[in-house]
Amino acid sequence: MTSKISLVSLGCPRNLTDSQAIAERLKLKGAKITEDSQEADTIIINTCAFIKEAKEESIDFILDAVELKKEGRIKKIILAGCLAQRYPEEILKEFKEIDAIVGRQELTDSVNNLSLTPKHYSYLKICEGCFNECSFCVIPKIKGKFKSRSVGSVLEEARLLDKRGISELNIIGQDITCFGLDSAAKGRLSYLISRILEEAENIKWVRLLYLNPLRLDNDLIELIWENERICKYIDLPIQHINDRILKLMNRQITKSKIHSLIKRLRKEIPEVAIRTSVITGFPSETESEFKELIDFITEVKFDRLGAFVYSREEGTAAYDFPNQVPESVKRKRFSILMQKQQEIAKDYNASLLGKTKEVMIEEYNDGVYAARSQADAPEVDGCVFVKSKEKLFAGDIVKVKITQTYEYDLVGEKIPS
Ligand code: SF4
């Protein structure tokens, strides 16, 4: 009898591509993947362990699955992903109902036919692991040393996604700027992106995610600027801006280097939207160092910003750092920072009123289309709601005139073609 499998994918897009590879292998073995866990006989949970909240979410899903198994409604529970990889013994000891923990090594290089993203966009993971050793981050311990995929296997997957008719391709990895550093293979990231643009010529938008400011080089900046199919969107996690904290984080970069890079990007790539992510409450962060971070985001005005409360992770260098910041202070700084960013986002959006924006249609709901501009990455950024007399389809790229603006979202009228 065909196994009916429900696959839960938690955490980041990189985990999502692993989930797709897991699903692909199961399908090749004749299993049926079902969205509805009620009709499944097996539940696979691809877990995340990046920070405390992510671990708690993974545990919640495990507990739900354990409950379903105790009630006899499912036969098997299989775990994959970062939490499972990080604590296999503890998990199997704690949850006797779990049947297996699957690794990921063999997951990466497979070209997949099954997508867990909507039909009009997809993620393409080009590397695994990380060279960097940021003192707060557990990922290198879970995912191992940086490893580029072969150019051939990346292009094979890009061609397949192109044939499938996606409109947007999101290039991901822990730090994609390291691509090619580990292999004698020809070229670095800019070379690979040029090849993808050649081989997947129907894909309208190529978006680069997780660009480490340390290695964002001239070739890549030039390529992004000169090629209109590459989204004018730079995802540039800085984590902090104070030099003492950057040093303790082992980010290997300084405030002035980050600042001049941002100025250069805005000068050389007009209309570029810069996204960043920062951490509040890193061990020994003082009030004045936090204020320096607030002053910096106020001055630079990132178009998009995500923030994390520092999460003390075992096995990371920062776990043993002195002067850990109290939880309440970390959270207070987080909300002050997000409050400031909300004001910046609101002003930025207000400046777009009456302007024309190119957007990609995602779906139709209650009389309007949800869409994204090049400044909006899937699942993390804002949305453009589009009113149109014409029927539109997911993946269509259309021009709209912005008629209303909110903190994070916009409303627009489709401009007749
Ligand atoms: S660059 Fe730093 S934060 Fe990002 S995955 Fe690597 S070690 Fe972690």
Side-chain angles (χ1 to χ4, degrees):
M1 189 179 76
T2 311
S3 256
K4 284 203 180 138
I5 297 176
S6 166
L7 179 54
V8 178
S9 188
L10 304 175
C12 66
R14 293 160 291 209
N15 235 19
L16 189 68
T17 56
D18 285 354
S19 300
Q20 281 174 196
I22 295 174
E24 169 60 19
R25 289 184 166 267
L26 292 164
K27 262 190 72 188
L28 290 174
K29 292 198 174 89
K32 187 173 172 301
I33 307 293
T34 169
E35 305 264 323
D36 178 1
S37 62
Q38 301 306 322
E39 66 167 41
D41 52 41
T42 300
I43 292 189
I44 298 181
I45 306 168
N46 193 6
T47 60
C48 176
F50 183 46
I51 54 174
K52 186 161 153 287
E53 285 78 3
K55 286 190 270 188
E56 287 164 358
E57 184 194 32
S58 296
I59 300 285
D60 289 346
F61 275 89
I62 295 171
L63 288 167
D64 293 350
V66 165
E67 220 31 61
L68 284 176
K69 190 168 181 194
K70 282 184 180 159
E71 292 160 9
R73 288 162 60 192
I74 60 167
K75 294 197 190 71
K76 279 212 173 108
I77 305 172
I78 297 171
L79 292 194
C82 299
L83 188 82
Q85 236 130 4
R86 200 162 162 212
Y87 307 108
E89 283 88 34
E90 295 87 338
I91 289 174
L92 290 175
K93 199 153 138 260
E94 182 68 29
F95 303 107
K96 301 276 178 293
E97 295 78 6
I98 290 171
D99 299 277
I101 287 187
V102 293
R104 78 182 151 71
Q105 196 46 52
E106 71 288 348
L107 292 177
T108 43
D109 271 342
S110 68
V111 174
N112 56 31
N113 294 320
L114 191 106
S115 174
L116 297 178
T117 52
K119 290 202 171 9
H120 61 282
Y121 76 81
S122 190
Y123 294 102
L124 176 49
K125 188 159 68 167
I126 62 172
C127 50
E128 188 72 88
C130 193
F131 269 141
N132 312 306
E133 285 167 1
C134 303
S135 61
F136 54 83
C137 181
V138 75
I139 292 178
K141 291 237 168 3
I142 299 174
K143 300 283 184 179
K145 267 245 162 291
F146 182 87
K147 189 173 175 307
S148 301
R149 280 180 67 182
S150 68
V151 171
S153 79
V154 171
L155 293 180
E156 189 187 335
E157 195 166 341
R159 281 192 293 269
L160 183 101
L161 293 167
D162 186 35
K163 253 197 260 126
R164 196 187 297 156
I166 66 165
S167 291
E168 178 187 3
L169 184 63
N170 298 279
I171 309 293
I172 61 171
Q174 266 71 42
D175 176 0
I176 66 173
T177 59
C178 290
F179 186 85
L181 273 184
D182 60 326
S183 66
K186 194 166 170 236
R188 296 283 310 281
L189 183 59
S190 44
Y191 166 76
L192 180 73
I193 302 301
S194 310
R195 292 295 313 281
I196 289 174
L197 290 166
E198 281 161 28
E199 303 269 333
E201 52 197 2
N202 305 309
I203 293 176
K204 299 167 185 135
W205 286 0
V206 173
R207 187 185 303 274
L208 310 183
L209 298 175
Y210 312 106
L211 296 162
N212 191 317
L214 191 58
R215 292 188 195 83
L216 187 46
D217 62 22
N218 302 346
D219 294 351
L220 194 59
I221 293 174
E222 211 170 292
L223 183 70
I224 295 170
W225 170 69
E226 69 193 8
N227 194 298
E228 62 182 23
R229 289 170 59 207
I230 302 180
C231 290
K232 302 301 170 271
Y233 180 90
I234 303 279
D235 175 27
L236 198 74
I238 64 168
Q239 310 301 2
H240 209 284
I241 202 59
N242 167 268
D243 282 330
R244 188 185 74 86
I245 297 288
L246 285 170
K247 200 158 178 32
L248 282 175
M249 285 179 162
N250 191 26
R251 293 290 288 171
Q252 303 161 44
I253 194 166
T254 61
K255 176 175 184 173
S256 66
K257 283 228 171 75
I258 291 173
H259 205 173
S260 47
L261 175 61
I262 291 168
K263 283 186 192 144
R264 181 168 168 223
L265 289 171
R266 290 213 161 122
K267 184 161 157 281
E268 294 189 17
I269 310 176
E271 304 285 307
V272 69
I274 302 180
R275 164 178 253 278
T276 196
S277 55
V278 295
I279 293 174
T280 63
F282 185 79
S284 76
E285 181 193 55
T286 63
E287 272 304 328
S288 67
E289 288 161 345
F290 172 64
K291 184 165 178 322
E292 187 181 343
L293 179 59
I294 292 287
D295 293 348
F296 185 73
I297 68 166
T298 309
E299 180 196 339
V300 164
K301 296 186 176 18
F302 286 101
D303 307 284
R304 308 276 182 262
L305 181 144
F308 294 93
V309 168
Y310 170 71
S311 179
R312 193 180 179 199
E313 295 298 324
E314 289 148 67
T316 63
Y319 184 86
D320 301 314
F321 284 3
N323 308 321
Q324 296 280 333
V325 177
E327 199 61 28
S328 57
V329 176
K330 289 194 263 187
R331 292 194 178 282
K332 186 163 149 274
R333 288 176 184 172
F334 173 84
S335 38
I336 292 169
L337 191 138
M338 288 317 286
Q339 185 62 41
K340 173 52 70 180
Q341 182 59 26
Q342 199 175 26
E343 291 160 22
I344 292 166
K346 193 171 180 199
D347 295 347
Y348 168 72
N349 274 359
S351 73
L352 299 175
L353 193 61
K355 296 248 176 71
T356 297
K357 287 278 266 185
E358 187 187 68
V359 299
M360 176 184 295
I361 300 299
E362 300 232 272
E363 59 190 352
Y364 183 74
N365 271 323
D366 308 335
V368 287
Y369 292 92
R372 285 182 290 112
S373 73
Q374 285 201 0
D376 305 305
E379 297 164 51
V380 288
D381 293 325
C383 185
V384 183
F385 296 100
V386 177
K387 295 179 186 144
S388 170
K389 297 191 185 64
E390 296 162 47
K391 188 167 174 45
L392 303 173
F393 299 91
D396 286 355
I397 296 194
V398 298
K399 289 202 171 5
V400 299
K401 183 166 182 224
I402 303 302
T403 54
Q404 274 171 284
T405 70
Y406 300 93
E407 277 98 351
Y408 298 116
D409 298 327
L410 301 166
V411 177
E413 296 272 344
K414 177 176 178 316
I415 297 173
S417 27

